[in-house]
Amino acid sequence: MSVGAVLNKVLPLAEAVRRHVPDGAAVVLGTALEALIPFAVAHELIRQERRDLALVGPISDLCFDQLIAAGCARRVVAAWVGNVQHGSGYGFRRAVEQGLPHPIEVEDHSNFTLALGLEAAALGVPYLPTRTLLGSDILARNPRLRRERCPFTGAPLVLVPALAPDAAILHVQRADAEGNCQAWGATGVSAAAAKASRIVIVVCEELVEAAVIRSDPNRTLVPGFLVTAVVHLPWGAHPSPVQGHYNRDHAVYRDYHQRSARPEDLLAWLREWVRDPGDHAGYLEKLGRQRLEALRPRSRRLAAPVDYGC
Amino acid sequence: MSVGAVLNKVLPLAEAVRRHVPDGAAVVLGTALEALIPFAVAHELIRQERRDLALVGPISDLCFDQLIAAGCARRVVAAWVGNVQHGSGYGFRRAVEQGLPHPIEVEDHSNFTLALGLEAAALGVPYLPTRTLLGSDILARNPRLRRERCPFTGAPLVLVPALAPDAAILHVQRADAEGNCQAWGATGVSAAAAKASRIVIVVCEELVEAAVIRSDPNRTLVPGFLVTAVVHLPWGAHPSPVQGHYNRDHAVYRDYHQRSARPEDLLAWLREWVRDPGDHAGYLEKLGRQRLEALRPRSRRLAAPVDYGC
Amino acid sequence: MAVDYTPGELMVAVAAREIRDGEVVFVGMRLPLLAFCLARATHAPNAVGLFENGIVRDSPALAFLVTMSDGPNVAGALWCTEMREIMGLLQSGRVDLGFLGGAQIDRFGNLNTSYVGPPGRQTRLPGSGGGADIAGLSRRHVVIMAHERRRFVERVDYVTSPGFGEGGDWRRRVGLPGGGPAAVITTLGLFRFDPETREMVLASTHPGVTVEEVREETGWPLACAPSVTVTPPPTGEELAVVRRFDPDGFWTRDRG
Amino acid sequence: MAVDYTPGELMVAVAAREIRDGEVVFVGMRLPLLAFCLARATHAPNAVGLFENGIVRDSPALAFLVTMSDGPNVAGALWCTEMREIMGLLQSGRVDLGFLGGAQIDRFGNLNTSYVGPPGRQTRLPGSGGGADIAGLSRRHVVIMAHERRRFVERVDYVTSPGFGEGGDWRRRVGLPGGGPAAVITTLGLFRFDPETREMVLASTHPGVTVEEVREETGWPLACAPSVTVTPPPTGEELAVVRRFDPDGFWTRDRG
């Protein structure tokens, strides 16, 4: 990339969201499951009052619940929507059960079929076959999944069609200005989601020199030429954990669970924690340095050295 | 694994090959393409006069050529067989064109369809679909590949059936005694090959403590519970390169090319470099310390630190 | 010697006994995670644990976990990878045992974690996650759940994670490769499945629970083993291990 | 100013000019690898190179390469991964340009690298490698090969890597997503393809080569562009770069 092009990829959070995630977009996020959830982006979508999004993801923890409760979503394509720590997601339930704040469509998957849909799009094939979901009502009620006989063996198979979101949002430990990025810990469906999507926004804890990425190319999760925008935003995944940077802030999930059973409480929670702080800096300020510091790793655990010498 | 079980996985080269690669086995090797080729295992198969093997691999460099010329192979499932540095593999050509030392069957693939066959077996599905090879005679003449219409789009697709070798041989930089192993550099189809195979033999430059692997779990290529045997054999991939350990010994490829055009020369080469040295230690002795030292990396290039702290 | 324990602790102990040494176990979270830790610390030191986020461990997490993606489950893992790798191991028959929870279960071990209640007045539950995949593809699976009459129904409202479907050879007919449920562990007892009919059968009641109480909390005429035994309670050693991994009783005391 | 250069160096320079800035290029080995290095060092500093072993680079290799898996191609790469990832990028339309070599080519740009000669007396060549994949799936591809009458045939003996098949809309009919060959660069000239018939058309002859000579080495009645030009020879700068990456002329002097 030319220097100009590189500089243009690095954007402030609000600008990246404004420019690349329009109303009506299908957005995949929460791709590493309970870790590396791009909560800062979700909160910015709420602040910018984005509407009619399709939310795509395996298990969303409370990220999807908040977006749904805030009225940002029209459709959910997922295997699980709730609060991993406490079960039910009240925002999601109210939308499905009572159409509040407005009705949403739900396309149910298992984790595996959601992953396969993204894989198919990433690989550029119209579908991938699997043996999961045979006999499940998820198959019976999801009209996009097809049951077919295998042309080789005659055995029944489920064909999962390609699922290509408009935009993927990934939170990672480090990226360079071109978007070459590296993450560690479980990565779930992150790589497939990025390759399946037209737009990729990478949010990183550390914006590093190009040489850091190139010192360890086996660690790269997504190459920069697939990345549209890079947002340098430490703590951008809070309250979800980022290995080597901060632990999960369980208290947030408990607090949200307790304060989301009634719709007015949930809206008050969003006002207090998303809208009123104004931006991510305001959110961190409200959390306070002491609380953040308490989430820091207790010790370093460095990876054993690896030598790429030649 | 219990200590007893662990110790049993670590075997000398000859014992691992004798116990786990019988006559008639389908063996996948050369899975990282031109690097990390388990030449020591190939040479041991030649010394043990293994017969009727099916050799499976994308591009084999001269490893397959040697096994075929030595009469070990009855069948080849590959995308490319030759000498990457010089083109033709004379051993392979003589077997196909003249049936010498005996006829072999060839199942032609492209790199992608070979990879997909292994991926299908690794994933536990009977086939994977692709758009490659449409219009190619590889498709027309390989009866295992099927051309079918996509049930979603109506577009023509090639379905690649699962390819499950009996044994996979991987050369890696480091492994622990349970077979948990890590490799860096391009890995080609290594991970898929291991998961597709019933038997996995890991040959490593370094046999490391369990804690080394567990210090960097994102680096793991294959988990130990899929690995049958571990062979600790520095220089076991020579003359192919192993990043961080030694560079490619181009002279071997040139020498073999020059001395394999006539069958008697090729057999003399195998006698000189494979049979007469008796074992891998004898092979290294024949190469000589000076030649090996000249292949060592000129400098260290350490991966940037990664912290798994929590 | 009587030892004091909670229903959660008992269920963890019973679940741990389902894990055989050397097995590859699809672990999940909550009670199964504790059961895996307990089994490894006692009779199954070589069990390997898989998590759908992409983690493979052969040692217990470094500290208490609320989710499988918490830092202490990543650090010291032997493999951190993508979900597709874990699901590939499952689909290719490499997973011996998977654990599942559920909101509603029926006579043939089918689980519902999606929609409960009559059409039009349904309660929306979180959904499958990896549950349907574990139920369909692991060589055998074990269900852990609270035993209440509203949860143990003749036929689930929605089959999220298939058990034995309509019974008999249903799994073979629909093409599911995995073996189906091997056990259901509830707050009241341990259940197996009849090898022919594939109907759930009461195998043992937990200490202090009568067969009659189990029947009352079950929404169909419950079949019982020829001799229903009493579930052995957790030993002191088992309890010590469980409490080491759930020191504040987050999973085993606060909830069932 | 006349500069001395080999046919190999000329072909590398011509191939490099096919790479546009910012493009994602499936590189392969030998002359295309040098062309990629040359393009990056001159007019296409933002081109990204993909290798089927799993390497992605945005900088030239650290030193001379005999194979794509040599250490200097790994060190400093921006991504080292599996083949499936690279092939996935290719199949999903992310690769703008791929390079291919061949032993035999025909009027419609089909390549044979598998079996040459009449049945029963065939010569076995190494095979496709990733060639068929690049030809089928990249948005466009460029062929580099020696121009000899035995290699330029009316119809290849075996279609390893499809060009435009039988011409016209053949690629669409068989379902190939990629755009097909955009150019053939030989030891004698540069060729394009007619946008309607998809037949190979002589666009320029290399310096010192006549159209007649090209015709003599071509096994079918060769079509020519309305005005066949002369291929611009490599500039001094281009040659300097090529010689930096192939200092001993391993690829550009010892061979064509």
Side-chain angles (χ1 to χ4, degrees), chain B residues 1-2 119 121-125 178 180 191 194-198 213-215 217-218 220-226 308 310, chain C residues 22 24 40 45-46 48 50 56 58-59 62 71-81 84-85 87-89 91-92 94:
Chain B
M1 292 288 151
S2 69
E119 284 285 343
L123 283 174
V125 281
E178 298 172 33
N180 298 296
K195 285 159 215 154
S197 302
R198 197 169 39 81
I213 302 296
R214 288 157 184 77
S215 78
N218 284 88
T220 299
L221 181 68
V222 182
F225 69 85
L226 298 178
Y308 282 89
C310 59
Chain C
V24 176
R40 274 212 50 112
N46 305 308
V48 174
L50 270 52
V56 177
D58 65 349
S59 58
L62 302 182
N73 206 37
V74 169
L78 59 86
W79 195 21
C80 283
T81 182
R84 68 182 292 279
E85 295 288 345
M87 292 298 179
L89 290 170
Q91 190 168 239
S92 62
R94 259 68 173 252

Side-chain angles (χ1 to χ4, degrees), chain B residues 158-214:
Chain B
V158 174
L159 309 190
V160 183
L163 177 57
D166 296 306
I169 322 281
L170 303 189
H171 193 99
V172 302
Q173 278 94 339
R174 67 188 181 199
D176 68 15
E178 298 172 33
N180 298 296
C181 61
Q182 302 188 330
W184 45 103
T187 59
V189 301
S190 301
K195 285 159 215 154
S197 302
R198 197 169 39 81
I199 299 283
V200 178
I201 300 178
V202 168
V203 185
C204 60
E205 291 292 325
E206 283 190 271
L207 188 64
V208 298
E209 292 297 316
V212 172
I213 302 296
R214 288 157 184 77

Side-chain angles (χ1 to χ4, degrees), chain C residues 1-254:
Chain C
M1 189 192 77
V3 187
D4 203 31
Y5 55 85
T6 67
E9 287 168 338
L10 172 63
M11 290 162 81
V12 167
V14 175
R17 295 168 195 155
E18 295 292 314
I19 299 172
R20 298 171 200 147
D21 196 20
E23 285 195 324
V24 176
V25 183
F26 204 111
V27 177
M29 314 241 281
R30 305 168 188 234
L31 301 191
L33 179 58
L34 293 171
F36 172 71
C37 293
L38 173 56
R40 274 212 50 112
T42 53
H43 64 281
N46 305 308
V48 174
L50 270 52
F51 299 83
E52 58 204 314
N53 57 352
I55 293 176
V56 177
R57 289 190 77 88
D58 65 349
S59 58
L62 302 182
F64 168 73
L65 299 181
V66 171
T67 85
M68 65 175 93
S69 303
D70 288 4
N73 206 37
V74 169
L78 59 86
W79 195 21
C80 283
T81 182
E82 300 179 70
M83 183 193 285
R84 68 182 292 279
E85 295 288 345
I86 304 299
M87 292 298 179
L89 290 170
L90 190 62
Q91 190 168 239
S92 62
R94 259 68 173 252
V95 175
D96 299 297
L97 171 60
F99 282 101
L100 283 173
Q104 202 183 48
I105 194 167
D106 68 21
R107 186 166 193 152
F108 294 108
N110 303 297
L111 278 173
N112 179 7
T113 55
S114 302
Y115 299 90
V116 169
R121 287 189 300 119
Q122 287 190 321
T123 297
R124 173 69 217 219
L125 306 174
S128 160
D133 308 314
I134 295 170
L137 304 173
S138 54
R139 288 186 171 277
R140 71 185 194 283
H141 68 266
V142 167
V143 176
I144 304 182
M145 60 185 285
H147 203 133
E148 301 167 12
R149 194 173 178 93
R150 67 190 179 99
R151 296 177 183 277
F152 276 65
V153 298
E154 172 73 34
R155 181 72 187 166
V156 289
D157 298 322
Y158 181 103
V159 177
T160 309
S161 302
F164 291 111
E166 298 155 6
D169 67 346
W170 179 88
R171 285 183 72 95
R172 193 188 55 69
R173 281 188 283 120
V174 300
L176 280 174
V184 178
I185 299 164
T186 78
T187 36
L188 300 181
L190 168 67
F191 301 78
R192 302 286 179 190
F193 288 84
D194 182 279
E196 291 299 315
T197 65
R198 300 303 197 175
E199 185 178 332
M200 201 188 295
V201 175
L202 177 63
S204 71
T205 52
H206 294 337
V209 176
T210 65
V211 171
E212 204 37 56
E213 285 172 292
V214 178
R215 286 218 160 97
E216 270 167 30
E217 293 294 343
T218 303
W220 68 87
L222 181 67
C224 293
S227 64
V228 173
T229 59
V230 174
T231 313
T235 66
E237 186 201 357
E238 286 171 334
L239 281 174
V241 174
V242 172
R243 287 167 190 176
R244 177 148 56 86
F245 290 108
D246 188 23
D248 301 323
F250 186 85
W251 298 120
T252 52
R253 293 182 173 263
D254 292 357

Side-chain angles (χ1 to χ4, degrees), chain D residues 104-111 141 143-147 151-154 156 163-168 181-186 189-204 214-215 217-225:
Chain D
Q104 205 182 45
I105 194 168
D106 69 19
R107 187 169 194 151
F108 294 110
N110 302 298
L111 279 173
H141 67 266
V143 177
I144 304 182
M145 60 186 284
H147 203 135
R151 296 177 183 277
F152 276 64
V153 297
E154 172 73 33
V156 290
F164 290 113
E166 299 153 7
V184 178
I185 298 164
T186 79
L190 169 66
F191 302 79
R192 302 284 180 191
F193 288 84
D194 183 279
E196 290 298 317
T197 65
R198 300 303 195 175
E199 184 178 333
M200 203 188 293
V201 176
L202 178 63
S204 72
V214 178
R215 286 217 159 96
E217 293 292 345
T218 302
W220 70 86
L222 182 65
C224 294

Side-chain angles (χ1 to χ4, degrees), chain D:
Chain D
M1 189 191 76
V3 187
D4 203 32
Y5 54 84
T6 67
E9 287 168 340
L10 173 62
M11 289 161 83
V12 167
V14 175
R17 296 169 196 154
E18 295 290 316
I19 299 172
R20 299 172 199 146
D21 196 20
E23 285 194 325
V24 176
V25 183
F26 204 112
V27 178
M29 315 239 282
R30 304 168 189 236
L31 301 191
L33 181 57
L34 293 171
F36 173 70
C37 293
L38 174 55
R40 274 212 51 112
T42 54
H43 65 281
N46 304 310
V48 175
L50 270 51
F51 299 83
E52 57 204 315
N53 57 354
I55 293 176
V56 177
R57 287 191 78 87
D58 65 349
S59 59
L62 301 182
F64 168 74
L65 299 181
V66 172
T67 84
M68 66 176 92
S69 304
D70 289 5
N73 205 37
V74 170
L78 61 84
W79 195 21
C80 284
T81 183
E82 300 181 70
M83 182 191 287
R84 70 183 291 277
E85 295 288 345
I86 305 298
M87 293 297 179
L89 290 170
L90 190 61
Q91 189 167 239
S92 61
R94 257 69 171 251
V95 175
D96 299 297
L97 171 60
F99 282 102
L100 283 173
Q104 205 182 45
I105 194 168
D106 69 19
R107 187 169 194 151
F108 294 110
N110 302 298
L111 279 173
N112 179 8
T113 54
S114 301
Y115 300 91
V116 168
R121 289 187 300 118
Q122 286 190 321
T123 297
R124 174 67 217 218
L125 305 174
S128 159
D133 308 313
I134 295 169
L137 304 174
S138 53
R139 287 186 171 276
R140 71 183 194 282
H141 67 266
V142 168
V143 177
I144 304 182
M145 60 186 284
H147 203 135
E148 301 166 13
R149 195 175 178 90
R150 67 188 178 100
R151 296 177 183 277
F152 276 64
V153 297
E154 172 73 33
R155 180 73 187 165
V156 290
D157 299 323
Y158 181 103
V159 177
T160 309
S161 302
F164 290 113
E166 299 153 7
D169 67 346
W170 179 89
R171 285 182 71 95
R172 194 189 53 72
R173 280 189 283 119
V174 301
L176 280 174
V184 178
I185 298 164
T186 79
T187 38
L188 301 181
L190 169 66
F191 302 79
R192 302 284 180 191
F193 288 84
D194 183 279
E196 290 298 317
T197 65
R198 300 303 195 175
E199 184 178 333
M200 203 188 293
V201 176
L202 178 63
S204 72
T205 53
H206 295 337
V209 177
T210 66
V211 171
E212 206 38 55
E213 285 172 291
V214 178
R215 286 217 159 96
E216 271 167 29
E217 293 292 345
T218 302
W220 70 86
L222 182 65
C224 294
S227 64
V228 173
T229 59
V230 173
T231 313
T235 65
E237 186 201 357
E238 285 171 335
L239 281 175
V241 174
V242 173
R243 287 167 191 175
R244 178 148 56 87
F245 290 109
D246 188 23
D248 302 321
F250 187 85
W251 298 119
T252 52
R253 293 181 173 263
D254 293 356
R255 347 192 152 199

